[in-house]
Amino acid sequence: MPKNGKAVKRELDDDVTESVRDLLSNEDACDDSFKKSSLIVGDHGGDGKECDVEEGGSHGEEEEEEEEERPAWNSKLQYILAQVGFSVGLGNVWRFPYLCQKNGGDQINYGCEPRLPCVGPEPVGVTGAYLVPYLILLILIGIPLFFLELAVGQRIRRGSIGVWNYISPRLGGIGFASCMVCFFVALYYNVIIGWSLFYFSQSFQQPLPWHECPLVKNKTSTYVEPECEKSSATTYYWYREALNISDNISEGGGLNWKMTVCLLIAWSMVCLAMIKGIQSSGKVMYFSSLFPYVVLICFLVRALLLKGSVDGIRHMFTPKLEIMLEAKVWREAATQVFFALGLGFGGVIAFSSYNKRDNNCHFDAVLVSFINFFTSVLATLVVFAVLGFKANIMISKCVALNTNKIVGLLGTDIERSLIPHHINLTHVNQVSAEDYHQMIEIIKGVKEDQYQALGLDPCSIEKELNKAVQGTGLAFIAFTEAMTHFPASPFWSVMFFLMLVNLGLGSMFGTIEGILTPLIDTFKVRKEFLTVGCCVLAFSIGLLFVQRSGNYFVAMFDDYSATLPLLIVVVLENVAVAWVYGIDKFFEDLKDMLGFTPYRFYYYMWKYITPTLLLVLLCASFIQLSLTPPSYSAWIQEEAKEQTLHFPPWGIVVCISLVVMAVMPVPVVFVLRYFNIIDDGASGLATVSYKKGRIIKETALPGEDDDASLIHGRSPSEAPSPMPGNNIYRKQSGGPGTDIAPNGLYGIGYLMADIRDMPESDL
């Protein structure tokens, strides 16, 4: 801990209670729980600045010191929605269902005609078992780490840079690393929002533009676009019409002007929503966080009314428990838990730093974590119901195609006596899947040796559902294809892509807040200028992702800029709190802050279990990346299919550079602090204090070890240390100036006696 970091005793301990009424409280400009707080900034020389934020009017004489306000949530509901909006993102819709599908059965993707089922082995299992390891790891890794970030952010009321600089100056680089990762992720994440905006703008047509393949006309004939004919209408529209993608990452191909405009709109939306901080973005959260749930529920209800949806949901919940013994299932579940909650980005810390001091952040951690989990399950239900409907359509086409084959083979390779009498082959489109499977079984039993030569597909719905699709392939190809078969398909397309935009914006707000809040707290710049500057810079760099090869760069940044750096950041966060700062002192802090002692479960999680699991996950991820050559999936125009290509040498350098640049601040700051190139007490970054009621300042007597807890609230008589107690200095209400402690620095502390209704700092 930095010197002179002791906190003083709270003279009045208020019990913290959480209730539905508190959570759902309406916005109230006069709500005492959500007001701006006074901020004391002490520099190395002992000068300080104070800002008193008035409630509805003047408290008295205006302070002569420079005012510095810290924003606050208007209500607890707004704060919860912000955390939910940040944690619930695009990954819940297109990554979680894919992992459920992949880790419940064998991934089958045979690379043949996308519009028809392919011949292959029977599926060996389906999904359901993945939810068990995910839930276990959510409890062992997700909730403890989410609670930890909420607690340190809420207590210190700083962004990620200030928080980790305060806890351990030598580990102050953790905050800078978080900002770097946030910036890298924001660069490509907003591109995905731009893609969604493009599809949203194209959805106001009947029929949808990706409903069927376009026709090419020349002077003599009209024919179907060859690239589309070899693939499918939705695949062609995604790769050619939307992205106009090049064949490899080395072919830049110039800017795609349609996506450039969409990216500009996306960054403009983010900038306008964030320019006033949470005062502007907080109100946007009511729509951006709640609207996706409305859409998901509507999609689920509509999908359940479609033929085949129940087959998809049954497929999802059919367990294959033995798959839980495979290590890769647990590794992928742990990775998904880690990224689903937004751990390590700094957004969680930034949001909670504006909360009131005695807010029950443990309740928030459990609530948001399980909302995130149930959102993933809801999205998976929707995806499997829609894909079940799509699979049913594919099976109907498959049955009709292969029934025609059987009709053509009658009298030559297949005897008419093999066809059951109740099946009428004069109308092939009326043959049901059950009748077709009955014919196939009979033919296969009689023509066992010649069956393969007949070229008849089994047309299995399980096989169709086992085709694993994730990411953009799910959102912009598989799901869009399914929606073309919906009644009133433009309406559902508009709803779906508007939902994706809102999911993306909710996560973007938290990501940008993870950049802005630490920088504003550290360098004291105006939020408006920093927000605009950050968005302009990000848009300029983001032009890399809207050239014709931009999709390949998105894949590169997604694979290499976040995974390892974030794992390293969170491991260091856990170690910094549990081992450097001290788990016992941190528990005392939590007791003082929350009004109750957290479950002992968290003690063992933070100190032993969670860091061990994180190190195992970090090693597994590092080994996986080391053993897998850096590669990407390229769309080959002539062949109209995807092909895995290796990155060129310069691409490998970029991949390595992304990882190194993200984690570099950690060792750099450590070395600078270790060799005293930067003084631990310099710039006053670790000496910021917020007050409730009155300013508290303290002094450490010569020789006293003052590595106390952040909110260690013991009086001299209660303190276990044999050293004499501290002197407490108070600034009286209406006093002419700020009293300076003898050591010239301010401590971190609250005094809750005397004035009960003074405002408290919020996010």
Side-chain angles (χ1 to χ4, degrees):
M1 292 293 298
K3 296 297 180 184
N4 305 303
K6 278 192 175 178
V8 298
K9 174 180 172 55
R10 282 174 59 183
E11 295 185 2
L12 178 62
D13 292 328
D14 296 327
D15 292 335
V16 179
T17 59
E18 288 289 343
S19 64
V20 176
R21 181 170 178 268
D22 176 46
L23 179 61
L24 300 178
S25 59
N26 293 326
E27 294 187 18
D28 186 354
C30 298
D31 186 357
D32 295 334
S33 300
F34 294 90
K35 292 298 180 188
K36 302 181 179 68
S37 66
S38 297
L39 176 65
I40 299 297
V41 180
D43 59 40
H44 193 58
D47 295 337
K49 296 179 182 179
E50 175 194 356
C51 160
D52 284 335
V53 182
E54 301 180 356
E55 293 184 72
S58 176
H59 273 308
E61 279 189 50
E62 184 177 351
E63 293 290 327
E64 294 180 359
E65 291 88 351
E66 176 187 351
E67 293 191 356
E68 182 177 354
E69 297 183 355
R70 189 170 187 81
W73 296 112
N74 288 329
S75 70
K76 179 66 175 287
L77 177 61
Q78 189 180 87
Y79 164 67
I80 292 296
L81 289 177
Q83 291 286 16
V84 169
F86 175 51
S87 66
V88 175
L90 297 172
N92 296 76
V93 174
W94 65 36
R95 178 68 178 170
F96 188 89
Y98 160 75
L99 291 174
C100 281
Q101 185 180 25
K102 175 186 175 184
N103 293 313
D106 280 356
Q107 180 177 350
I108 302 176
N109 193 349
Y110 301 105
C112 43
E113 177 60 47
R115 289 172 289 184
L116 296 175
C118 306
V119 179
E122 289 296 321
V124 299
V126 283
T127 64
Y130 174 76
L131 296 177
V132 177
Y134 182 87
L135 191 56
I136 292 173
L137 292 171
L138 177 67
I139 296 173
L140 295 181
I141 294 180
I143 295 178
L145 291 175
F146 196 60
F147 180 25
L148 184 146
E149 289 199 356
L150 288 177
V152 297
Q154 177 176 308
R155 184 56 192 91
I156 306 176
R157 286 175 169 78
R158 304 285 284 169
S160 56
I161 295 176
V163 162
W164 302 113
N165 184 67
Y166 184 90
I167 287 180
S168 176
R170 291 181 181 178
L171 294 178
I174 296 175
F176 289 98
S178 293
C179 288
M180 288 294 294
V181 174
C182 279
F183 187 71
F184 286 153
V185 171
L187 288 177
Y188 73 84
Y189 205 85
N190 224 20
V191 175
I192 301 175
I193 298 177
W195 294 343
S196 302
L197 285 171
F198 173 76
Y199 268 79
F200 171 75
S201 67
Q202 298 299 307
S203 297
F204 296 91
Q205 304 178 44
Q206 177 65 26
L208 292 170
W210 50 84
H211 176 70
E212 57 186 4
C213 288
L215 299 177
V216 179
K217 297 181 180 180
N218 56 26
K219 296 180 179 179
T220 59
S221 62
T222 300
Y223 57 93
V224 177
E225 171 65 46
E227 185 180 2
C228 185
E229 189 176 21
K230 294 177 184 178
S231 55
S232 68
T234 51
T235 304
Y236 171 81
Y237 191 86
W238 166 242
Y239 284 117
R240 190 55 51 210
E241 297 294 336
L243 299 182
N244 193 20
I245 199 166
S246 60
D247 284 350
N248 58 69
I249 195 171
S250 299
E251 298 178 14
L255 292 179
N256 181 338
W257 69 267
K258 292 180 289 188
M259 291 305 168
T260 303
V261 172
C262 291
L263 181 64
L264 178 61
I265 295 173
W267 275 114
S268 299
M269 293 168 63
V270 171
C271 183
L272 292 175
M274 298 296 299
I275 196 164
K276 292 294 184 181
I278 62 168
Q279 295 173 343
S280 54
S281 65
K283 292 180 172 56
V284 179
M285 290 294 181
Y286 285 111
F287 181 78
S288 64
S289 297
L290 294 177
F291 180 74
Y293 291 96
V294 176
V295 176
L296 286 175
I297 293 172
C298 290
F299 260 98
L300 181 61
V301 173
R302 184 67 189 91
L304 289 175
L305 300 177
L306 298 171
K307 183 180 179 181
S309 60
V310 177
D311 295 327
I313 294 177
R314 187 187 300 117
H315 179 85
M316 170 187 171
F317 284 109
T318 303
K320 191 174 191 295
L321 298 179
E322 60 268 24
I323 203 170
M324 287 195 299
L325 300 178
E326 298 181 14
K328 76 179 182 75
V329 176
W330 290 85
R331 179 181 60 81
E332 292 187 342
T335 304
Q336 178 63 16
V337 167
F338 183 83
F339 289 105
L341 294 175
L343 301 173
F345 282 94
V348 173
I349 294 176
F351 279 156
S352 64
S353 71
Y354 299 108
N355 251 332
K356 58 179 180 177
R357 176 184 181 267
D358 58 354
N359 173 63
N360 190 344
C361 55
H362 175 255
F363 171 83
D364 300 341
V366 176
L367 177 65
V368 173
S369 298
F370 278 101
I371 288 177
N372 186 290
F373 172 70
F374 288 118
T375 303
S376 297
V377 174
L378 174 62
T380 305
L381 281 171
V382 172
V383 168
F384 274 86
V386 173
L387 293 183
F389 164 68
K390 174 178 175 285
N392 191 272
I393 294 175
M394 295 296 105
I395 294 304
S396 298
K397 293 181 178 180
C398 178
V399 168
L401 178 64
N402 286 273
T403 302
N404 270 324
K405 286 184 181 180
I406 293 175
V407 172
L409 295 172
L410 286 178
T412 55
D413 296 315
I414 300 176
E415 295 80 10
R416 291 184 179 274
S417 60
L418 298 180
I419 307 301
H421 297 292
H422 69 280
I423 299 178
N424 183 7
L425 295 182
T426 57
H427 301 286
V428 294
N429 291 329
Q430 296 179 4
V431 176
S432 66
E434 292 78 10
D435 291 341
Y436 173 76
H437 291 142
Q438 185 180 354
M439 286 192 298
I440 288 296
E441 290 300 321
I442 296 173
I443 296 171
K444 188 175 182 180
V446 175
K447 303 280 187 180
E448 186 173 354
D449 296 332
Q450 297 85 19
Y451 178 76
Q452 291 294 335
L454 297 177
L456 299 176
D457 285 346
C459 295
S460 169
I461 193 169
E462 287 80 11
K463 186 190 302 181
E464 186 69 28
L465 288 169
N466 268 328
K467 293 179 181 177
V469 183
Q470 68 164 324
T472 55
L474 174 64
F476 299 108
I477 298 177
F479 219 87
T480 52
E481 183 174 354
M483 285 187 297
T484 58
H485 301 289
F486 276 31
S489 56
F491 169 78
W492 293 105
S493 183
V494 167
M495 294 284 283
F496 176 72
F497 290 110
L498 186 58
M499 178 191 72
L500 291 187
V501 170
N502 280 275
L503 284 172
L505 286 176
S507 297
M508 275 297 297
F509 293 157
T511 303
I512 297 299
E513 198 68 53
I515 302 172
L516 299 180
T517 297
L519 296 179
I520 291 170
D521 288 344
T522 304
F523 301 107
K524 302 295 178 286
V525 296
R526 285 183 61 92
K527 180 139 195 163
E528 294 85 352
F529 296 155
L530 183 61
T531 302
V532 173
C534 179
C535 291
V536 170
L537 176 63
F539 170 74
S540 302
I541 300 176
L543 294 176
L544 174 71
F545 303 102
V546 291
Q547 57 181 339
R548 292 185 58 196
S549 61
N551 187 45
Y552 306 138
F553 286 98
V554 170
M556 175 192 289
F557 273 66
D558 190 35
D559 290 338
Y560 294 96
S561 70
T563 306
L564 278 181
L566 278 181
L567 281 171
I568 294 171
V569 165
V570 175
V571 168
L572 292 175
E573 288 181 358
N574 197 162
V575 170
V577 171
W579 292 93
V580 178
Y581 177 61
I583 193 65
D584 295 311
K585 290 191 290 184
F586 188 59
F587 254 67
E588 292 176 4
D589 296 347
L590 291 174
K591 181 179 179 181
D592 183 77
M593 183 169 66
L594 302 178
F596 62 89
T597 303
Y599 299 112
R600 201 67 180 172
F601 163 82
Y602 292 105
Y603 181 94
Y604 297 106
M605 287 296 104
W606 286 330
K607 193 168 186 179
Y608 303 111
I609 307 299
T610 304
T612 301
L613 292 176
L614 286 174
L615 287 173
V616 171
L617 178 60
L618 178 62
C619 293
S621 299
F622 182 78
I623 292 172
Q624 183 199 22
L625 287 177
S626 301
L627 296 179
T628 306
S631 60
Y632 63 100
S633 182
W635 178 258
I636 308 302
Q637 183 174 4
E638 289 186 3
E639 301 176 11
K641 67 178 183 180
E642 290 184 341
Q643 181 178 333
T644 300
L645 301 178
H646 295 297
F647 283 112
W650 63 264
I652 297 176
V653 172
V654 173
C655 293
I656 297 174
S657 300
L658 289 174
V659 177
V660 172
M661 289 171 62
V663 300
M664 185 59 69
V666 176
V668 168
V669 172
F670 181 85
V671 170
L672 293 177
R673 296 287 195 188
Y674 184 81
F675 291 103
N676 293 323
I677 299 175
I678 296 179
D679 186 9
D680 286 357
S683 76
L685 294 181
T687 61
V688 178
S689 175
Y690 299 90
K691 73 170 186 174
K692 179 176 180 179
R694 299 179 179 181
I695 306 297
I696 308 300
K697 291 175 287 293
E698 58 179 331
T699 178
L701 296 181
E704 181 182 5
D705 180 9
D706 58 354
D707 284 341
S709 61
L710 296 177
I711 50 174
H712 186 46
R714 295 192 177 187
S715 64
S717 62
E718 295 174 313
S721 172
M723 301 305 295
N726 292 343
N727 296 324
I728 306 300
Y729 291 78
R730 301 181 182 175
K731 173 178 179 282
Q732 301 297 329
S733 302
T738 302
D739 298 328
I740 305 299
N743 59 8
L745 294 176
Y746 300 102
I748 303 292
Y750 286 75
L751 184 62
M752 298 184 69
D754 303 333
I755 303 177
R756 298 189 179 186
D757 295 326
M758 288 293 289
E760 223 175 320
S761 176
D762 280 65
L763 180 127

